[in-house]
Amino acid sequence: MSGITNPDATRIWDEAEVYVIPRNAVTDITELLPATIDDELDARWEFVGLLDGSAGIPVNPEIEITHFDAYGQARYRSKAKKGAIGTAFTALEKNSVTKKFVLPGSTAGKIGAPKGMYYFTCYVLRDEDVATEIWVSTRPALFELGSFSKVEGEPESYEITVHHSNDSSGDVFHVIDQDSAATELAITTTSLPAGVVGTPYSQTLTATGGIGAKTWTKTGTLPAGLTLSTDGVLSGTPTAAGTPSITFRVTDSAAPTANTATKAITVTVTA
């Protein structure tokens, strides 16, 4: 039986984009992941700009291998440890983003000595001008600037070696591609602060996972004066006290069958 080839499964990269965000600007990197390959990136990602296409984005797996020999039997076992992945990119622009990791000084107008700088990194890779893969680092990575020259008639470039750290599961990147399954839709709001009769009230319900836009509905009667919008905003000015348990439902835009999630939450209004 012969194997079946699939040329469409190959990758011939035509374009790549690099985005970064400082580690101190991120609380939970999963909040910055696009739900699908076609979604826009969160506005907090900073675009590095033009890249050296000939340098590409090298991916360097690293692992420490130890071989064990015995009398009369060479290499009877081998063990691997300290697996890691390093990447790199070569920026061609000296812009507001690259200035942050290309020898930044203590103040504007100064060049500083190299120092440890940590960024979450996002690679957007395109084949036939179509975004095919997005890689987002699971943890902030150490940026190392290589040497560069100021040569007449030659473009100045900044080679950045990205030293990634593994997360607790040994993973280095979140990957979003055409085959990525959406994460499970779930309501993350667990409780709501109490409202007070006669005082304007507004709280937004939150959910993670799913695909595309989300629509909110409810089962149960809210305290008088409060309403729930389809965007998940519970608002209004309560006119009566109460503590009803409301079942909130969120529905995503998956096709042909949308995903739903529900959660019962007590909505309290005091006099």
Side-chain angles (χ1 to χ4, degrees):
M1 184 173 106
S2 61
I4 299 174
T5 62
N6 181 11
D8 291 334
T10 63
R11 295 288 185 264
I12 304 174
W13 302 118
D14 300 310
E15 185 181 345
E17 299 163 6
V18 177
Y19 298 82
V20 299
I21 187 168
R23 67 176 176 182
N24 59 5
V26 177
T27 302
D28 182 358
I29 191 59
T30 61
E31 296 177 353
L32 299 178
L33 300 179
T36 72
I37 193 71
D38 298 318
D39 286 356
E40 294 289 333
L41 292 180
D42 188 282
R44 286 171 286 181
W45 285 107
E46 300 180 88
F47 181 47
V48 167
L50 286 172
L51 304 175
D52 184 342
S54 61
I57 298 179
V59 179
N60 302 307
E62 307 167 17
I63 196 164
E64 182 179 302
I65 297 178
T66 303
H67 302 296
F68 297 88
D69 299 326
Y71 289 114
Q73 183 176 341
R75 197 170 293 187
Y76 69 94
R77 280 191 67 185
S78 298
K79 298 190 81 171
K81 61 181 180 179
K82 297 183 180 179
I85 294 177
T87 62
F89 61 88
T90 301
L92 296 177
E93 295 184 29
K94 192 169 186 180
N95 55 33
S96 60
V97 177
T98 59
K99 284 180 180 179
K100 294 177 182 179
F101 50 78
V102 176
L103 302 179
S106 58
T107 61
K110 291 185 179 181
I111 293 177
K115 56 189 175 184
M117 292 172 290
Y118 294 83
Y119 290 84
F120 286 93
T121 310
C122 173
Y123 296 120
V124 179
L125 305 165
R126 301 181 186 276
D127 186 349
E128 300 288 351
D129 297 325
V130 176
T132 307
E133 290 183 7
I134 298 175
W135 291 16
V136 178
S137 57
T138 58
R139 300 192 63 226
L142 174 64
F143 276 21
E144 178 187 358
L145 173 67
S147 61
F148 58 93
S149 300
K150 299 179 179 291
V151 180
E152 182 180 359
E154 296 291 334
E156 187 167 295
S157 61
Y158 312 102
E159 181 181 353
I160 305 297
T161 299
V162 185
H163 300 277
H164 297 281
S165 299
N166 306 341
D167 67 11
S168 59
S169 299
D171 296 324
V172 178
F173 287 101
H174 299 279
V175 178
I176 299 93
D177 58 20
Q178 298 291 353
D179 299 324
S180 295
T183 56
E184 182 178 358
L185 182 63
I187 295 174
T188 53
T189 300
T190 57
S191 62
L192 292 166
V196 178
V197 171
T199 301
Y201 183 91
S202 181
Q203 291 292 320
T204 301
L205 300 169
T206 58
T208 59
I211 295 176
K214 300 176 178 66
T215 302
W216 291 82
T217 57
K218 65 170 180 64
T219 300
T221 302
L222 290 167
L226 294 182
T227 60
L228 176 70
S229 74
T230 56
D231 293 329
V233 179
L234 180 63
S235 62
T237 300
T239 59
T243 56
S245 177
I246 306 297
T247 298
F248 294 99
R249 176 185 298 270
V250 63
T251 305
D252 71 4
S253 303
T257 304
N259 301 300
T260 63
T262 60
K263 180 174 288 188
I265 301 175
T266 298
V267 180
T268 300
V269 173
T270 59

